[in-house]
Amino acid sequence: MTAPSLIIRNGLVVTVDPARRVIDRGYVAVGDDRILAVGPMAECPDAGSARVIDASGQAVLPGFVNAHVHTFDILLRGGLAEDRGLYDWLCNIVLPGTQAYSDAEVSTAARLFCLEAVRAGATTIVDNVETKFDRWERYAGLITATYAECGVRGVYSQMFYDYTPPDIETLFKAIEARSPDIDHDLGVYALDGALSKTEAIMRRHHGAADGRISVWPSPGVAVLCSRDGLLGAKALAKRFGVRVGLHLGESPADRMQHGMTSIEYLNAIGFLGPDILAAHCVQLTDKDIRILGASGTNVVTNPVSNLYLGNGVARVAEMIQAGVTVGLGTDDAIASGSANILADMKTLALVQKGHYRDAAAITAEKVIEMATIDGAAAIGMADEIGSLEPGKKADITILNLRAAHLVPRHSVASVIVYQCRGDEVDTVIVDGRVILRNRQPAWLAGEAEDDLMQAAQSASERVAVAARLPRHDDTTWVARRA
């Protein structure tokens, strides 16, 4: 075996490998950016000059794959966007708010999101970026530079829209009338320009940061894209060997397309398939679920944001039974409150059990798989990440199990899903590099974290005023009416 550069010793190693081995007092040996060996301590190689992390009392897992997020929207959370349905939230808060950002505020927001996501154990994020057309290239540079700085594995998914159905147009006008003083701009673009600019961004940033950064095309919401836009994105992704991301069947307003369900329509035009990552998929018929399974289309569920926006509960257990690969995402921090995938595992499990009125609808083990190997498979990276196996990338999360709320422990999967809160993450490693140790990020030193939080608060306050977003008076507590 090649001499290791890093050895994690004495941990409870949750491999999520094909045999789903859990090794008490195990080790993981890393050489540069790859895992060299995984096994019991009796087989652990000598450390030599390698860095050693003692994981006694800790669980060692594959890094979590947060398969659907919107990083830079995070500056709008904290009380600006609650109690609104999806398109009210989008048209009257998210789009006008983010359009008021300065370039520096975009970077601040992305850094804040990455800090929170990594502290919750995420090593990979799939970031769906939505902004005005003339900012695409600037924002791609700013946000991918943040991925590189923070050390995460980032997928930059460039969203576009090129079509607004008449019924959705009517809906938008009615919703926008609620806030007539706000500058509303959904951002529908000419298709040729959208695809050519997406391709330019892919050529510039795909494969950056030693391969940690990928760029995908994203026809943002299925019903807001033309047939040519959808198939054009699919063809572009094929040329680069990547996937296509989109929002699909998220709310009752976007479940139908051209007289059939959106999933039926996408299947009819030849869009669905293993190269598609469809987010949400809440509004599904039985036939839709069969189509997703038969086509090999991948899904990422976002249970907290689906509840927050009042869209309902995705039928995840049935999708899995139909053969659909389903990953887990925290979605937009202003539609969930956080970037904490570890905490969201519990919500995912509980809402499935409650929805089906079946305590066995989904297991803790399956939820962890969704956040690791299934998430990796859904985004097309299962050969590289998602489990602790020799030859795979050294993307690793270490959880501290030495806490009162984590005792007793009989099943590590149960403890992680039902008892962890998210602040148990001690160490995070990406590509063999330690990017978080003792909960301290490698890229923030001294008072830099306080500076980041202060910058985020100041930026959020400025943006709220500039975009004329509704503000709350924190000097009183007033019950609001729906």
Side-chain angles (χ1 to χ4, degrees):
M1 183 173 69
T2 303
S5 54
L6 169 68
I7 297 180
I8 303 166
R9 305 178 58 170
N10 298 314
L12 178 61
V13 181
V14 183
T15 65
V16 201
D17 66 6
R20 299 301 190 260
R21 292 182 302 156
V22 177
I23 306 169
D24 195 12
R25 290 201 72 245
Y27 79 94
V28 179
V30 174
D32 297 324
D33 64 338
R34 299 277 174 177
I35 296 172
L36 297 176
V38 180
M41 279 302 300
E43 301 172 3
C44 184
D46 292 336
S49 61
R51 177 177 181 177
V52 174
I53 293 177
D54 184 1
S56 299
Q58 299 180 317
V60 182
L61 294 101
F64 300 140
V65 178
N66 195 339
H68 184 83
V69 308
H70 298 258
T71 57
F72 80 99
D73 297 0
I74 196 170
L75 294 184
L76 301 177
R77 71 175 173 183
L80 293 174
E82 69 223 293
D83 305 330
R84 294 171 182 263
L86 174 61
Y87 288 107
D88 181 9
W89 170 89
L90 180 68
C91 295
N92 289 326
I93 302 294
V94 179
L95 294 179
T98 55
Q99 287 164 8
Y101 283 29
S102 68
D103 287 2
E105 288 162 346
V106 170
S107 295
T108 294
R111 294 175 85 228
L112 178 65
F113 188 100
C114 286
L115 173 61
E116 185 174 346
V118 169
R119 276 221 175 105
T123 53
T124 299
I125 60 173
V126 178
D127 188 7
N128 301 270
V129 181
E130 180 176 25
T131 188
K132 283 188 173 181
F133 190 61
D134 61 358
R135 303 179 188 183
W136 281 20
E137 289 161 315
R138 294 205 319 277
Y139 282 20
L142 293 168
I143 295 172
T144 56
T146 301
Y147 304 157
E149 175 195 10
C150 300
V152 299
R153 192 174 305 283
V155 175
Y156 187 96
S157 189
Q158 179 62 68
M159 295 173 63
F160 71 88
Y161 310 112
D162 73 317
Y163 170 71
T164 307
D167 58 331
I168 298 289
E169 182 84 40
T170 302
L171 172 65
F172 287 163
K173 289 186 181 300
I175 286 172
E176 290 168 358
R178 178 178 179 180
S179 301
D181 295 333
I182 287 177
D183 178 20
H184 298 100
D185 180 5
L186 179 64
V188 175
Y189 317 115
L191 179 58
D192 289 346
L195 290 178
S196 63
K197 189 168 284 192
T198 299
E199 182 172 358
I201 291 169
M202 295 173 79
R203 292 192 180 283
R204 182 171 182 181
H205 298 290
H206 185 67
D210 299 322
R212 291 200 316 276
I213 294 171
S214 304
V215 184
W216 296 1
S218 173
V221 178
V223 300
L224 297 177
C225 290
S226 68
R227 179 182 184 277
D228 288 345
L230 292 159
L231 296 180
K234 187 178 175 81
L236 178 57
K238 184 176 181 179
R239 291 206 299 275
F240 281 80
V242 298
R243 303 220 154 161
V244 180
L246 82 165
H247 297 68
L248 179 58
E250 182 175 1
S251 80
D254 55 51
R255 64 175 295 270
M256 301 297 293
Q257 201 162 355
H258 302 291
M260 60 187 83
T261 70
S262 193
I263 287 173
E264 289 175 332
Y265 172 75
L266 296 179
N267 189 54
I269 66 171
F271 177 79
L272 296 180
D275 55 347
I276 304 300
L277 180 66
H280 299 288
C281 294
V282 179
Q283 318 299 327
L284 301 188
T285 65
D286 293 346
K287 182 179 180 181
D288 289 338
I289 292 174
R290 292 196 299 271
I291 290 172
L292 290 173
S295 64
T297 301
N298 304 283
V299 169
V300 51
T301 189
N302 305 274
V304 176
S305 73
N306 292 337
L307 296 173
Y308 187 100
L309 295 170
N311 287 321
V313 176
R315 296 162 64 183
V316 171
E318 290 173 83
M319 284 190 268
I320 292 171
Q321 290 170 358
V324 180
T325 298
V326 185
L328 174 61
T330 60
D331 201 13
D332 199 314
I334 60 171
S336 65
S338 80
N340 189 337
I341 189 171
L342 184 51
D344 284 10
M345 291 184 202
K346 182 174 183 176
T347 303
L348 169 62
L350 296 184
V351 297
Q352 290 301 300
K353 294 170 186 290
H355 175 75
Y356 291 106
R357 299 191 180 189
D358 179 359
I362 195 166
T363 65
E365 289 82 0
K366 173 47 73 173
V367 171
I368 292 174
E369 290 171 3
M370 290 171 65
T372 55
I373 191 63
D374 291 352
I379 68 172
M381 297 185 185
D383 289 341
E384 292 284 285
I385 61 173
S387 61
L388 302 180
E389 299 180 67
K392 283 197 171 185
K393 289 285 191 177
D395 288 11
I396 302 168
T397 290
I398 303 177
L399 307 181
N400 185 0
L401 300 181
R402 294 169 293 194
H405 67 283
L406 302 178
V407 177
R409 183 182 77 242
H410 300 282
S411 160
V412 66
S414 177
V415 168
I416 290 170
V417 172
Y418 297 115
Q419 293 166 240
C420 281
R421 303 176 301 213
D423 57 0
E424 298 82 4
V425 176
D426 177 87
T427 301
V428 173
I429 299 162
V430 178
D431 257 0
R433 303 183 184 97
V434 178
I435 66 171
L436 185 83
R437 180 69 176 139
N438 299 322
R439 293 195 61 74
Q440 297 305 307
W443 53 280
L444 282 179
E447 298 179 354
E449 185 173 343
D450 286 340
D451 293 342
L452 174 59
M453 290 189 292
Q454 290 172 12
Q457 180 66 34
S458 297
S460 181
E461 292 172 0
R462 190 204 68 78
V463 166
V465 172
R468 299 191 293 276
L469 302 182
R471 308 289 300 281
H472 296 307
D473 180 1
D474 253 356
T475 63
T476 60
W477 192 285
V478 179
R480 285 167 288 158
R481 294 184 178 180

